[in-house]
Structure formats: structure tokens, C-alpha cells
Amino acid sequence: MTPGERLRTKREERGISAAELAQRVGRSESAVRNQENGTNGIPATLAKKYASALGTTAAWILYGDNTPAPVAPPELTVLPMIGPVQAGAWLALDDSSQDEPTLLTATVDRRYPHAPQWLREIRGDSMNERHIYPGDLAHIVDASAAGINLNTGMVVEVTRSRDGGLLREVTLKEVEVTPEGIRLWPRSTNPRWREPLDLDDGSGEVEVTVTGLLLTTIRRFG
């Protein structure tokens, strides 16, 4: 079939007259018929208009090609691994800080193009019911920069600051939104982890912040 024959076939399949198609694409009826019968060719720009009006693609009209447009591959880049996160009790960040984080190749979550993303190695078993295991890498996005509204079931990175910010601790927990506020739970087969996270150490000088949303975990073997 020629491009004109494909154009006429698709138009007739859709039950659209040549005059109606001409009106949709801003052409005269005679111009449409001349292209259908092969008297005149179909420019690519006009093929796109025909395709939009007929629910097909310009490639099909011009070449008979039904191949869908290729899907863009995931964007690979490097993300900083800024230290471990405890799926269990609080982990003091100062005990494992790095001046220059290790950079690892990972797939950036393009839903949050302007929010920082990072990796942490998971320690502890308090989230193994969510298939989050020791040694996995947690891929996390900055909750504030991403504009995250917390909902029940989300897994988040929580940071607790004490002593005026001199001591920072971090952990990973599941969110429960209740009428009384947000509760943060372990989800573990280990009976040690059954109670919601204790956010206050009793000093009265504790600041607790949800610093990140867990996007995914990356399983590491060996």
C-alpha cells in the first residue's frame, strides 16, 4: 500500500469523510483526495496531523510501520553512599561518617529530578518483613526537597539530633499516620522489634526529622 492508500484506509476505518478529515487538519477536501490517490505526496508534518486525527502514527501512514517508539532506558548515574542506616535501633552517624562518600552506579528515580538521592547500607533486621535485609542498599530521596507527604505504609529514613546537633542518629522505619500523629514502626520477624520507635530519649533536647523516603532496595550478594 502507498501512503495515500493507507491514509484512505484508516480514514474509512474511522468512518470519517474526506471533507471532515480536511477540516480537522486544516486542508481542503481536494487536497486530501489528491494525497489519497497519490497525485500529491504527504509531507511528514502533515502526516503527523493526519495521524492525530485518525488515531494512528505518522510512521504507519508514511511507511506502514506499527513499531512503537522505543522506550528510553533507565538513566544510570552515580549516587553517593553516605554510610549505613540501622533497620533496628538508632545508629550514630558520627561513628561511621565519611569525608568523601563512595560513589556507586545506580538508576536515578526520575520522579524527583530536583531532589537529592543517596544510598545507605542497611544494618539490622527490624524491617525484614518488608524484604529489607542487612547488607542491602537503601535508595533514598530527600523527603523535604521531593515534597513528600507522608502516608501509611511508606518506609522512611528518620534522623534524630541530640546535644544541639552534635550527635546525629539514623534509622529506617515504616510510617503509620494516626489521628494522634505519625508513628514509626519496625516490621520484623525478630520479636525484639515489636514496638513503635521511641523518638524521645528523655533529655528533652531531641529533634526528630523524617529526612528521606525509601524508593527501593538494591540486593547485594556475597
Coordinates of all heavy atoms in Angstrom, one line a residue, residues 2 21-22 30 33-34 45 71 104 115 118 125 127 133 148-149 156 158 203 221:
T2 N 0.4 2.3 -0.7 CA 1.1 3.5 -0.7 C 0.6 4.4 0.5 O -0.4 4.0 1.2 CB 0.8 4.3 -2.0 OG1 -0.6 4.7 -1.9 CG2 1.1 3.5 -3.2
L21 N -12.1 15.1 7.5 CA -10.7 15.0 7.8 C -10.0 16.2 7.3 O -9.1 16.7 8.1 CB -10.1 13.8 7.0 CG -8.6 13.5 7.2 CD1 -8.2 13.4 8.7 CD2 -8.1 12.3 6.4
A22 N -10.3 16.8 6.2 CA -9.7 18.0 5.7 C -9.9 19.1 6.7 O -9.0 19.9 7.0 CB -10.3 18.4 4.4
S30 N -10.2 18.6 -1.6 CA -9.5 18.2 -2.8 C -8.0 17.8 -2.5 O -7.5 16.9 -3.1 CB -9.6 19.3 -3.8 OG -9.0 20.5 -3.4
R33 N -8.0 14.4 -1.0 CA -8.2 13.3 -2.0 C -7.0 13.2 -3.0 O -6.7 12.1 -3.4 CB -9.5 13.7 -2.8 CG -10.8 13.6 -1.9 CD -12.0 13.5 -2.8 NE -13.2 13.3 -1.9 CZ -13.7 12.2 -1.4 NH1 -13.0 11.1 -1.6 NH2 -14.8 12.2 -0.7
N34 N -6.4 14.3 -3.3 CA -5.2 14.2 -4.1 C -4.1 13.4 -3.4 O -3.3 12.7 -4.1 CB -4.7 15.6 -4.5 CG -5.6 16.2 -5.6 OD1 -6.2 15.5 -6.3 ND2 -5.5 17.6 -5.6
T45 N 5.2 16.5 8.2 CA 4.4 17.4 9.2 C 2.9 17.2 9.1 O 2.2 17.1 10.1 CB 4.8 18.8 9.0 OG1 4.6 19.2 7.6 CG2 6.2 19.1 9.3
V71 N 11.3 2.8 24.1 CA 11.2 3.4 25.5 C 12.6 3.7 25.9 O 13.6 3.0 25.8 CB 10.6 2.3 26.4 CG1 10.6 2.8 27.9 CG2 9.2 1.9 26.0
L104 N 28.5 5.1 43.8 CA 28.1 3.9 43.1 C 27.2 4.1 42.0 O 26.3 5.0 42.0 CB 27.4 3.0 44.1 CG 28.3 2.5 45.4 CD1 27.4 1.6 46.3 CD2 29.5 1.8 44.9
A115 N 15.5 16.6 43.6 CA 15.7 16.3 45.0 C 16.9 15.4 45.1 O 17.1 14.5 44.3 CB 14.5 15.5 45.5
W118 N 20.4 9.4 47.5 CA 21.6 8.8 48.0 C 21.3 7.3 48.4 O 20.2 6.8 48.4 CB 22.1 9.5 49.2 CG 21.1 9.6 50.4 CD1 20.9 8.7 51.4 CD2 20.2 10.7 50.7 NE1 20.0 9.1 52.3 CE2 19.5 10.3 51.9 CE3 19.9 11.9 50.1 CZ2 18.6 11.1 52.4 CZ3 19.0 12.7 50.6 CH2 18.3 12.3 51.8
D125 N 17.8 -6.2 61.4 CA 16.8 -6.9 60.8 C 15.4 -6.5 61.2 O 14.4 -7.2 61.0 CB 16.9 -8.4 61.2 CG 16.8 -8.6 62.7 OD1 16.7 -7.6 63.5 OD2 16.9 -9.8 63.2
M127 N 13.4 -4.6 59.7 CA 12.5 -4.3 58.6 C 12.4 -5.5 57.6 O 12.0 -5.4 56.5 CB 12.9 -3.1 57.8 CG 12.8 -1.8 58.6 SD 11.1 -1.4 59.1 CE 10.4 -1.0 57.5
Y133 N 16.8 -6.2 54.0 CA 17.7 -7.1 54.7 C 19.0 -6.5 54.9 O 19.4 -5.6 54.2 CB 17.8 -8.4 53.9 CG 16.5 -9.1 53.6 CD1 16.0 -9.2 52.3 CD2 15.8 -9.8 54.7 CE1 14.8 -9.8 52.1 CE2 14.7 -10.5 54.4 CZ 14.1 -10.5 53.1 OH 12.9 -11.1 52.9
I148 N 7.5 15.3 49.8 CA 6.8 14.1 50.1 C 5.8 14.4 51.2 O 6.1 15.0 52.3 CB 7.8 13.0 50.6 CG1 8.8 12.7 49.5 CG2 7.0 11.7 51.1 CD1 8.2 12.1 48.3
N149 N 4.5 13.9 51.0 CA 3.5 13.9 52.1 C 3.5 12.5 52.6 O 3.2 11.5 51.9 CB 2.1 14.3 51.5 CG 2.1 15.7 51.1 OD1 2.6 16.6 51.8 ND2 1.5 16.0 49.9
V156 N 10.6 5.1 55.7 CA 11.3 6.4 55.7 C 12.6 6.3 56.5 O 12.8 5.4 57.4 CB 10.5 7.5 56.3 CG1 9.3 7.8 55.4 CG2 10.0 7.2 57.7
V158 N 14.7 8.2 59.2 CA 14.5 9.1 60.3 C 15.8 9.5 61.0 O 16.6 8.6 61.3 CB 13.5 8.5 61.3 CG1 13.1 9.5 62.4 CG2 12.3 7.9 60.6
S203 N 15.8 13.3 77.4 CA 16.6 14.5 77.7 C 15.8 15.8 77.5 O 16.2 16.9 78.0 CB 17.8 14.5 76.8 OG 17.5 14.8 75.5
F221 N 24.8 -9.5 46.9 CA 25.2 -10.9 47.2 C 26.7 -11.0 47.4 O 27.5 -10.3 46.8 CB 24.8 -11.8 46.1 CG 23.3 -11.8 45.8 CD1 22.7 -11.0 44.8 CD2 22.4 -12.6 46.5 CE1 21.4 -11.0 44.6 CE2 21.1 -12.6 46.3 CZ 20.6 -11.8 45.3

